[in-house]
Each structure stands twice: as structure tokens, then as C-alpha cells.
Amino acid sequence: MANSDETKKQDGEVAKAEVFTPPNLLKIRASAPGGKTMDEMVEAGMSVVSGLAKNYADIANADVAEIAGIAAAMRQAPTKADEFRPELMRVGLNLKGQAATMGYPLVTEVAHSLIDFLDDMKKANRRLADDPKPALPAVQFHVEALRLLMAKDVKGKGGPTERALIDGLKSIVAKALPEQAG
Amino acid sequence: MPVPSAAFGSVTVTATYNFERISLLIADPSKYMRSLLVGLARSFGFRTIYEAADGQSAINLMRERHVDLVIVDGPMTPMDGYEFTKHLRISPETPNPFLPIIMVSAHTEVSQVKQARDVGVTEFLAKPISAKTLLVRFCSVIDNQRAFVRSSKFIGPDRRRHTDQAFQGQERRGVPQPAQDSPPHPEGLLPGGALSQDEIKALLKDDGKEAAA
């Protein structure tokens, strides 16, 4: 049986919301005999990840090359830089979402920084074309960082050089971002 | 005899899960990501797995195939995961408005997570994932089923995850009634809070002040 909440609309008229629990069919099916334990499944899953990770460098290098191409197109036509933003986001999200799983956490970190930069520009209602001089070099710095990490095949947390690279990235992004509103 | 599992903290995990009879749909624009998700799902025991590259393809597939559980990315074209979820929840043509939907996305900016919540996803998992984080989400959807809310403005899982113990006023929120035909939850359930810091950061913490309707 459902319970109803009474909530008030702006004009004072009362609207009702129902809160109810549908049957949990997944629970019934997942409870069938012959299941696996969490440990068994995680172990099996980690083997899958290890297997896929063996060829991830090729995938990542292709994505980095694509990002580099997009960044170059932006520099060649800075007034139209924002037209390339969706593609830059798409490839950036690929790298952010996959690299750490495959053993390249610093690539995820750099891609994350790029995505955050693009999101922060959008939140500040600033187009890349509005401030091309700081914005496009900031994008390019991310590209170079990704190239470097993949060229050196940096897995794991990296060393002092890589940390300095990440710190430099943060500094450049901070300078390129407009003052946050509100 | 329960075997303490260090991998999941101090929780004693006794439950086993059989995913063989659960059909899974994975909608992600990246072929590589789909291969990862499919591979993980197979290793967990799923036998029926469908793939789609975007929300519209997923909807088309669901017209032909029965699906019990969905993993969907956020950004996709031509139809993204938010539009897909909204369609499943409110379209008159939906095959199942109560379908569990796990959004697995790298776009974890707060507005995106809020949007995912507000269109009615069941769970949100931030990429990059691991075998463990994905499995925890599957088990959470199964073991910690959320109540549903239906109102003039929203159909989807109850977005209220917290009860404010300090609140002294009258409890006016609807209390969901448990389904009577589900088996009792076994002991040693994986807690829904087995999250990484990134997941906690990505997930929206509802303070109970936002009404479901």
C-alpha cells in the first residue's frame, strides 16, 4: 500500500505524492542457488581488468592524439574554439573515466583537471573564445601533460617530476580561470 | 560459518549472488568502456548482456528485449543518459518505469550528479571504476532497494537518503511500505556506504530538505 505525502503547490492547492516499494524482482533472482561470493566475483573482475589493461596504452595514445588534434584546431581558429568543446569533453571524459582503472591514475588526474577547467569556464559563463590567450594555452598544457605521461608510460603515482607537472597544471588553470562569480 | 572478508572492511559477508537470470543492458558511447563493463559483468556471472552506444539505441533495444537492470553513461549522443532515464521513468511507452538504473559516468560535476538524481537514476557510480566498486553498486541495487515516489513532477527512486535524527518536528514525509513478496534481507549485507572518497564526493548528499515532489 502506498503512503501519500501532501505537498503544497505555489497556489496553495494540495498535491499528493505516493511513496511505495515495488516488488524486488532482482533480489528474488539473485538469491537463486549457485551464486558467487563477493570475494570470488571481485577476484574474477580484477582478472578481467588486468587482461584489458595490457592493451590500454594504445587506446589512451589514440585518445591523446585526438585531443591534441582538437586543441590544434582550436588554436588555428580561436574565435570558434567553443565549437570544439563537446568533442574535447568527450575524449577528455574517456581518458578520465578509463585511465586510472587501467593503471594510469595520473592520466585520469590530468584529464579530470581538463574537464574541471571546461566546466568551471562554463559555470562562469565564459566561452573559451572570450579569453583565448589564457584559456587555449591552458588546454594545450593539459595536452602536453598527457603526451608526456603516455610517452613515458607513467603508471601508478609517478615520481617528483610527474608531481611537479601536476602542480604546474594547477597553477596554469588557476591563472586561466576567470574570477568565480557568487 | 561466516567468513570475515577484509576486502569489504569489517562487514562479515555471507551473501552470495547469482546474476545468471538477470538481464543487463549497458549503454556507453565508448566501445572500450563497454568491453570493460561487459567483461566485468560476465565475470560476476551475468549471462544475458545487451549493449548500446547511446540512449536512443538502448530504448530501441528495449522494445525487442527484456531488460532487468541498466548501466548507462551520462554524456552520449544523440540521446544522453539523462534523457534515457527520464524516458524510462515517465514515458507512456516505457517497458518498466521502476527499472533499476545505475549511471556510470566520468562527468561528476555536482550539477551532473544532481541532474542524474532528479531524472530518477537509482544509483550513481563515478568513473574510473574498479571491479569492486561496480560490484558494490550491483549488490546495493539488489539489497538496498529504494522506495519509489510518484507525483505530478517526479517519478523515480525516493531521493531522500537520510533521516535527520536531530529533527524534532512532526514527521510528515511518507514512509514507504515494504513489499511483502520479497525475501528477507540476509545478514551481512554490504553497506550502501562502501564508497570511495571520489564516490562520496560525486554522490549528492540529500539533506532531506528537498521535497520529493
Side-chain angles (χ1 to χ4, degrees):
Chain A
M1 292 294 289
N3 273 345
S4 293
D5 270 352
E6 289 194 357
T7 56
K8 287 192 175 179
K9 292 183 179 176
Q10 285 182 343
D11 59 3
E13 187 181 332
V14 173
K16 288 190 176 179
E18 286 181 83
V19 182
F20 58 96
T21 305
N24 191 346
L25 300 177
L26 290 188
K27 181 75 172 178
I28 295 169
R29 291 183 186 174
S31 300
K36 300 180 185 180
T37 64
M38 301 288 291
D39 284 339
E40 287 170 341
M41 288 188 280
V42 169
E43 188 176 346
M46 288 172 67
S47 291
V48 168
V49 173
S50 295
L52 281 170
K54 289 174 185 169
N55 67 351
Y56 177 69
D58 292 340
I59 304 292
N61 280 319
D63 280 341
V64 171
E66 187 172 359
I67 274 195
I70 296 169
M74 284 175 152
R75 288 198 310 279
Q76 285 171 5
T79 58
K80 296 182 180 179
D82 296 88
E83 293 177 17
F84 299 97
R85 187 181 178 281
E87 282 304 297
L88 195 60
M89 286 289 288
R90 178 183 63 79
V91 187
L93 287 169
N94 275 352
L95 285 166
K96 180 191 172 189
Q98 296 168 16
T101 303
M102 298 301 161
Y104 294 84
L106 291 183
V107 172
T108 281
E109 191 167 345
V110 173
H112 191 160
S113 170
L114 176 61
I115 298 298
D116 279 353
F117 173 64
L118 295 173
D119 277 337
D120 287 341
M121 288 288 283
K122 189 176 180 183
K123 276 191 288 187
N125 290 319
R126 298 297 292 175
R127 298 166 61 244
L128 295 169
D130 292 336
D131 301 303
K133 281 188 178 174
L136 297 188
V139 171
Q140 186 60 30
F141 198 93
H142 285 89
V143 172
E144 296 305 327
L146 290 168
R147 275 178 167 158
L148 183 68
L149 291 172
M150 289 312 301
K152 294 175 68 179
D153 197 34
V154 177
K155 296 181 183 178
K157 297 180 182 178
T161 303
E162 287 75 32
R163 288 317 316 173
L165 180 70
I166 301 293
D167 291 341
L169 199 62
K170 290 177 184 174
S171 174
I172 285 182
V173 166
K175 289 176 185 172
L177 280 173
E179 200 172 306
Q180 294 293 315
Chain B
M1 183 73 175
V3 177
S5 172
F8 302 102
S10 59
V11 174
T12 300
V13 179
T14 59
T16 61
Y17 299 85
N18 188 336
F19 297 125
E20 290 181 2
R21 293 172 56 213
I22 297 175
S23 57
L24 175 66
L25 169 61
I26 295 170
D28 194 292
S30 164
K31 186 178 176 183
Y32 187 79
M33 192 67 204
R34 289 200 306 274
S35 69
L36 170 62
L37 291 167
V38 169
L40 285 172
R42 286 210 192 287
S43 74
F44 297 159
F46 285 92
R47 291 291 171 258
T48 305
I49 305 172
Y50 304 113
E51 296 181 52
D54 71 278
Q56 187 59 56
S57 302
I59 288 171
N60 294 342
L61 189 150
M62 291 176 72
R63 293 195 179 110
E64 307 292 330
R65 306 289 182 191
H66 173 78
V67 171
D68 295 314
L69 175 62
V70 177
I71 291 177
V72 65
D73 196 356
M76 296 186 289
T77 55
M79 180 187 282
D80 62 27
Y82 311 97
E83 283 301 312
F84 168 81
T85 300
K86 198 187 298 185
H87 174 91
L88 276 192
R89 293 297 183 225
I90 67 173
S91 169
E93 298 175 356
T94 178
N96 181 4
F98 311 122
L99 196 66
I101 300 170
I102 302 173
M103 182 165 281
V104 183
S105 178
H107 206 180
T108 54
E109 203 268 335
V110 172
S111 67
Q112 300 297 315
V113 179
K114 280 187 178 180
Q115 186 181 5
R117 176 198 70 174
D118 290 344
V119 295
V121 303
T122 310
E123 294 282 352
F124 188 105
L125 175 60
K127 291 176 184 173
I129 65 170
S130 66
K132 179 181 169 184
T133 59
L134 181 62
L135 181 60
V136 165
R137 277 295 172 276
F138 281 146
C139 296
S140 178
V141 164
I142 289 168
D143 289 329
N144 305 316
Q145 188 193 25
R146 295 166 64 185
F148 256 68
V149 174
R150 179 164 48 206
S151 72
S152 61
K153 294 181 182 178
F154 177 80
I155 298 175
D158 191 346
R159 294 173 289 185
R160 302 165 299 185
R161 287 184 178 266
H162 301 279
T163 299
D164 186 354
Q165 301 297 337
F167 181 65
Q168 298 295 324
Q170 179 187 1
E171 176 57 67
R172 297 186 298 169
R173 299 187 299 175
V175 177
Q177 300 302 308
Q180 297 302 311
D181 55 348
S182 296
H185 291 184
E187 289 186 357
L189 289 178
L190 214 76
L195 305 173
S196 68
Q197 287 301 314
D198 284 343
E199 289 174 1
I200 292 169
K201 188 178 178 182
L203 280 173
L204 180 65
K205 186 175 182 181
D206 192 319
D207 60 5
K209 293 178 183 175
E210 291 186 53

